[in-house]
Amino acid sequence: MIAVLTNPQAGRGRHRAKAQAALAVLQEAGPVEVLSPRTREEALEVAKAAVAGGADALVALGGDGTVHVALQAVGGTSTPLGIVPVGTGNDMAQCFGLPADPAEAAKVVARKQTKAIDLARLSTADGAARWFGGVLAAGFDAIVNERGNAMRWPKGPRRYDLAILVELARLKPRRYQLVIDGKPESLEAVLFAVGNIAQYGGGMRICPQADPQDGKLDLVWAEPVSRAKLIRIKPQVYAGTHVLHEKVHQRQAREISIDAPGIVCYADGERIAPLPVKVTAVPGALTLFG
């Protein structure tokens, strides 16, 4: 039996017909149990219960947020994960080499061929731990997310545009205390990301050389720059060419601890916790249909 974790709000509900077509493909392939949680907390509960109850596989029918929840259930286990992308960004599906069309992605699940994918294991200051498969934002983008999520007006994506303007006006570098593969380091930065994959935010290639099968994390950060220079650098992220700028740096690591004042970090687009956090690459932690 395949458990299918759904999120009707994925992609702001614009892909429901495609989601239904994908679900039909899965149902033709064998027994399916559809999980329709009402909240994120309930989604985590039912996904974990399905895996613990012996489901042959778990399928995330949604966007990166749904995949993030599913990873908490299957990460570090032998239960395969299928991803049927019907979200807004679908960065993990794309970087894991899966079809963009939901029905085609469902056919990948039906073929039952799997591959090993790396995940990142994140630990917070209170001892909680969780998996992520995409990118951890711990700089300007995380600050914008936190600002946008706290705003009640305007509604929709425009509030994040406004949040960018607000935080650009408040832009200041943070002093980061890091431990990279056991070696303490300190640096100032305005942007800091840790990638298991290359992109986040619907195609922004923040860590352009990240490979989810190389057993390593990719770190990308930007030194203190002016507001005008940051505005010029940011659009280059979509092509991944921002790393060519003299103020932007990248390197790889297997484990990193990150601390900086006043930052709540985000992973796979989900709010995690205030820094400090520790992130560890776990090679092959995910069995993925693909």
Side-chain angles (χ1 to χ4, degrees):
M1 184 272 296
I2 293 178
V4 181
L5 182 65
T6 65
N7 178 8
Q9 301 307 314
R12 302 188 186 95
R14 292 175 300 189
H15 307 303
R16 288 178 184 171
K18 291 183 177 181
Q20 288 300 317
L23 185 58
V25 171
L26 296 174
Q27 289 170 330
E28 289 175 6
V32 167
E33 179 185 1
V34 178
L35 310 176
S36 302
R38 292 165 295 181
T39 65
R40 183 56 55 89
E41 292 74 20
E42 186 179 338
L44 181 58
E45 181 180 335
V46 297
K48 286 186 173 181
V51 172
D56 296 317
L58 180 66
V59 173
L61 181 63
D64 284 337
T66 307
V67 176
H68 182 80
V69 171
L71 291 179
Q72 311 317 308
V74 300
T77 77
S78 60
T79 303
L81 175 68
I83 300 177
V84 177
V86 292
T88 302
N90 304 315
D91 292 299
M92 279 188 277
Q94 183 175 339
C95 290
F96 292 161
L98 300 175
D101 179 74
E104 293 301 315
K107 291 176 184 178
V108 170
V109 175
R111 287 198 294 268
K112 298 183 179 180
Q113 296 177 344
T114 63
K115 59 184 177 182
I117 295 290
D118 304 339
L119 293 178
R121 189 67 167 163
L122 185 150
S123 302
T124 58
D126 62 2
R130 65 200 296 174
W131 299 100
F132 73 89
V135 175
L136 174 80
F140 179 76
D141 289 342
I143 295 167
V144 167
N145 256 327
E146 189 74 355
R147 167 73 62 178
N149 289 342
M151 296 170 67
R152 295 294 172 261
W153 182 92
K155 299 293 185 181
R158 289 187 60 194
R159 64 180 174 174
Y160 293 98
D161 295 335
L162 181 57
I164 289 173
L165 295 177
V166 171
E167 291 304 331
L168 274 173
R170 296 160 52 93
L171 182 69
K172 64 178 181 180
R174 258 68 170 190
R175 170 63 63 176
Y176 286 79
Q177 303 298 332
L178 310 172
V179 181
I180 302 175
D181 289 337
K183 298 179 180 178
E185 298 188 27
S186 179
L187 56 84
E188 281 196 331
V190 294
L191 181 71
F192 199 98
V194 179
N196 181 56
I197 62 173
Q199 66 188 52
Y200 66 172
M204 299 174 69
R205 296 184 62 80
I206 185 68
C207 301
Q209 296 181 11
D211 179 351
Q213 293 181 293
D214 67 358
K216 298 176 183 177
L217 304 164
D218 277 48
L219 320 178
V220 173
W221 69 95
E223 293 179 27
V225 294
S226 67
R227 296 177 183 87
K229 187 165 290 187
L230 184 60
I231 290 171
R232 288 197 298 271
I233 292 173
K234 281 288 285 182
Q236 299 173 19
V237 174
Y238 284 96
T241 55
H242 61 293
V243 296
L244 302 177
H245 195 281
E246 62 180 5
K247 293 291 187 178
V248 180
H249 307 276
Q250 57 182 337
R251 64 186 288 187
Q252 290 188 313
R254 297 187 185 278
E255 184 175 88
I256 177 172
S257 296
I258 313 165
D259 196 7
I263 295 180
V264 175
C265 65
Y266 283 68
D268 298 341
E270 301 297 305
R271 189 180 195 271
I272 302 298
L275 299 180
V277 297
K278 181 170 74 172
V279 184
T280 305
V282 185
L286 174 64
T287 301
L288 180 74
F289 288 120

